[in-house]
Amino acid sequence: MVVEFETKAPEAADRPSARRMEVLSPRDVPLGGPRAMTVRRTLPQRNRSLIGAWCFADHYGPDDVADTGGMDVAPHPHTGLQTVSWLFTGEIEHRDSLGIHAFVRPGELNLMTSGHGISHSEVSTPATTVLHGVQLWVALPEEHRNTGRDFHHHAPSPVPVPGGEARVFLGSLAGDTSPVPTFTPLLGAELTLDPGVTTTLAVDPAFEHGLLVDRGDVLLEGTALRPADLGYLAPGAETLTITNTSDTPARLILLGGTPFEEQIVMWWNFIGRSGEEIVQARNDWEKGVRFGEVHGYDGDRLPAPELPNVPLKPRGRIR
């Protein structure tokens, strides 16, 4: 569901143009085939496919692994994108066909670039009792979407913001800049805000922004967001004002980027520019070519689902 508002940043109240505000509500989606865990998905939606180059947002937990079984996503392929893994609690073991064996831990970024094709697995570790985090995707622009496989890890230090702190895992915010390179201008940060505080953050006015609420009730530019909501703001302002209206700390994920003007086709784990590219990627995965092998996973890889009976159509940003 998408609810639209017209809102103005407080310091821009006398300006003639308002910023369009949308509240994107999540839908529950099973993740990872037959041993699926349920996630809350806010991107993509019918009315909004992208925020900058961010094209996918899954929010999950807190899940008691003893009840849910945790995460067990068998080897599966990706094309044309980067995966961004960020945890609040728990631990996930990552293996990929680049040969990387790494762990996703709270407050530490794992970014994997698929380029022309990569495969990987994701499994919560035996030490995990509660699993809670977000899985995000970034669409690669045309000139870089067939780049080579790559992987980056970064553990950002907390930096102060009025009434809280930020951990900047991509881009720049609050005087801190992530060293992890991106193919388009991006922002990704975890924010924690103390109860009852209002904070105003300087941001790039060329960016559109999304604020995903993990914990707490907040106001984004005066519009209420509840846990699991994703608030969207169009480009135009130099600040974002966020108020934690809860009597407990709020935890948020702030995403941003310059508008991604290319049309994309996204199906299953692939991003392309045409339906024919998606069909080819699926065929390559089923034939066992292009994506390499994931070593060390105990089980079979995920089979590709059947393609829909209707043509896959490109989608782009909503203006």
Side-chain angles (χ1 to χ4, degrees), residues 213-268:
V213 181
D214 173 62
R215 184 175 65 198
D217 295 321
V218 303
L219 300 176
L220 174 60
E221 299 292 343
T223 296
L225 299 175
R226 297 182 58 80
D229 283 344
L230 176 63
Y232 167 83
L233 281 171
E238 296 179 352
T239 60
L240 294 179
T241 298
I242 306 167
T243 300
N244 178 12
T245 60
S246 311
D247 57 7
T248 57
R251 184 164 55 199
L252 318 163
I253 294 292
L254 178 61
L255 306 175
T258 53
F260 193 82
E261 301 293 356
E262 300 175 25
Q263 296 278 309
I264 64 173
V265 178
M266 185 161 64
W267 178 82
W268 194 39

Side-chain angles (χ1 to χ4, degrees), residues 42-235:
T42 44
L43 275 182
Q45 297 204 9
R46 182 180 300 274
N47 293 321
R48 182 155 300 281
S49 299
L50 297 145
I51 298 176
W54 298 101
C55 61
F56 182 92
D58 276 356
H59 178 210
Y60 53 88
D63 284 339
D64 185 336
V65 171
D67 293 333
T68 66
M71 180 181 292
D72 189 346
V73 185
H76 57 282
H78 288 293
T79 61
L81 59 87
Q82 294 176 299
T83 62
V84 175
S85 301
W86 185 261
L87 280 178
F88 306 126
T89 58
E91 184 180 64
I92 295 172
E93 185 175 26
H94 164 100
R95 298 176 184 269
D96 66 37
S97 57
L98 185 61
I100 300 296
H101 179 209
F103 292 87
V104 187
R105 297 187 175 100
E108 299 182 7
L109 169 73
N110 276 11
L111 181 147
M112 182 185 74
T113 300
S114 68
H116 184 62
I118 199 171
S119 56
H120 74 137
S121 62
E122 300 159 289
V123 180
S124 51
T125 64
T128 298
T129 57
V130 175
L131 192 61
H132 189 186
V134 292
Q135 180 69 48
L136 310 165
W137 290 359
V138 175
L140 293 173
E142 175 65 32
E143 66 175 311
H144 297 296
R145 65 190 182 96
N146 289 313
T147 189
R149 303 166 185 165
D150 203 0
F151 184 89
H152 288 272
H153 172 268
H154 174 52
S157 298
V159 293
V161 299
E165 66 180 28
R167 293 179 185 269
V168 183
F169 50 85
L170 287 177
S172 298
L173 184 73
D176 191 37
T177 297
S178 168
V180 179
T182 62
F183 292 95
T184 57
L186 290 176
L187 169 63
E190 177 187 312
L191 305 175
T192 54
L193 297 181
D194 296 334
V197 305
T198 295
T199 190
T200 298
L201 303 172
V203 293
D204 190 330
F207 281 22
E208 49 190 2
H209 289 91
L211 187 70
L212 176 65
V213 181
D214 173 62
R215 184 175 65 198
D217 295 321
V218 303
L219 300 176
L220 174 60
E221 299 292 343
T223 296
L225 299 175
R226 297 182 58 80
D229 283 344
L230 176 63
Y232 167 83
L233 281 171

